[in-house]
Amino acid sequence: MDKWEMYMEIQQLLKKGFSKSKVADKLGVSRATVYRHLKRSPSEMAEWVESLQTRKKKLDPYKELILNWLREHPDLSAAQVQDWLMERYKEQLEVGESTVRAYVRELRVEYKIAKESSPRDYEAIPDSPLGEQVQVDFGHTKQKTSDNKEVKLNFIAFVLSNSRYKYKEWLDRPFTTQDVIQAHENAFQWFCGIPGELVYDQDSLIVVSENGCKCQPKS
């Protein structure tokens, strides 16, 4: 539901006798949103909606780049888009996750780029010999600092398939290619050896990682 539709729906529900709190519940929005919409007359609301449509968005300079990413990787998440932007334009761009998420959602709707998911087949396989195989995966989590601020932590994890012995490294920024290479070397030292096989959770991670590092194995 766009902002104009929201405004008209609020007006209709109020005319039917619903309280502002009940209107908020029915529309799945906060009471503050309802009150904010009611501060504007219909003409003021129309002018505001029109100004939003013509206003230059913070991520507009990166629109074609983001579109190319979405077209090439339809399963790309907004969090991954933000990581890639931060890795490339950290010095000149400050943008929150909610802003990126909303912008990506709008681009998907406008250019009809549906978010695809890659189905995974699961089946039991016998354990590999001790030290033969290591599984590697990337991930991130949000945590609170001592002063109650939220930070995003990125990690790379290595797990020996047979013993489930683990090694993990954390960063408060996206991993770069050099970080990934160094993490592999550190993991091999931790395991006291190099496994015969490395298995990555997603095939594309080694070529185009979740944060944009382009890690290509040496031939």
Side-chain angles (χ1 to χ4, degrees):
M1 184 183 299
D2 63 27
K3 290 178 173 58
W4 181 254
E5 290 176 343
M6 176 75 71
Y7 179 79
M8 296 305 295
E9 192 68 24
I10 290 172
Q11 297 291 346
Q12 291 297 322
L13 290 172
L14 288 174
K15 287 179 180 178
K16 291 179 180 179
F18 291 103
S19 67
K20 295 180 179 67
S21 296
K22 194 64 176 178
V23 169
D25 290 339
K26 280 182 168 294
L27 297 178
V29 298
S30 66
R31 281 180 294 177
T33 298
V34 173
Y35 288 123
R36 188 165 58 248
H37 278 66
L38 292 176
K39 288 181 180 179
R40 296 185 171 93
S41 67
S43 59
E44 290 172 336
M45 187 67 185
E47 290 177 3
W48 180 63
V49 170
E50 184 178 358
S51 71
L52 290 178
Q53 294 173 343
T54 57
R55 184 185 301 171
K56 186 176 177 65
K57 295 184 174 69
K58 191 170 188 177
L59 289 174
D60 279 349
Y62 311 93
K63 179 178 179 179
E64 290 304 318
L65 177 62
I66 297 173
L67 274 174
N68 288 337
W69 287 343
L70 294 176
R71 286 166 175 156
E72 186 176 356
H73 309 287
D75 60 339
L76 200 63
S77 69
Q80 290 170 327
V81 170
Q82 183 183 20
D83 282 348
W84 289 8
L85 287 171
M86 289 299 97
E87 182 170 310
R88 290 162 173 76
Y89 306 106
K90 185 176 181 179
E91 300 300 324
Q92 62 263 43
L93 177 64
E94 290 186 14
V95 64
E97 186 174 339
S98 60
T99 300
V100 178
R101 185 167 57 249
Y103 195 79
V104 169
R105 183 170 59 248
E106 291 174 5
L107 289 183
R108 287 190 180 279
V109 172
E110 182 180 354
Y111 292 90
K112 297 179 173 58
I113 306 174
K115 185 171 183 179
E116 298 177 359
S117 58
S118 303
R120 301 184 185 181
D121 295 325
Y122 297 91
E123 63 177 284
I125 58 174
D127 288 334
S128 58
L130 287 170
E132 175 64 23
Q133 184 187 88
V134 166
Q135 299 171 24
V136 187
D137 196 10
F138 295 86
H140 64 263
T141 180
K142 290 184 178 179
Q143 300 294 329
K144 295 286 187 180
T145 63
S146 58
D147 54 358
N148 208 36
K149 291 182 179 179
E150 191 175 77
V151 294
K152 181 178 179 181
L153 299 177
N154 301 279
F155 66 83
I156 182 172
F158 302 79
V159 183
L160 284 170
S161 299
N162 190 296
S163 66
R164 313 309 295 170
Y165 196 50
K166 300 175 181 66
Y167 176 81
K168 185 181 292 185
E169 290 194 8
W170 297 83
L171 286 178
D172 59 359
R173 57 171 173 76
F175 278 83
T176 65
T177 303
Q178 187 59 47
D179 293 328
V180 173
I181 293 172
Q182 186 62 55
H184 279 69
E185 293 180 352
N186 294 342
F188 297 154
Q189 290 183 0
W190 177 262
F191 294 138
C192 298
I194 300 176
E197 182 179 56
L198 295 174
V199 177
Y200 296 86
D201 184 51
Q202 299 176 38
D203 293 340
S204 61
L205 279 178
I206 264 308
V207 178
V208 182
S209 83
E210 293 182 357
N211 55 36
C213 75
K214 300 185 183 303
C215 316
Q216 300 198 2
K218 296 180 180 179
S219 56

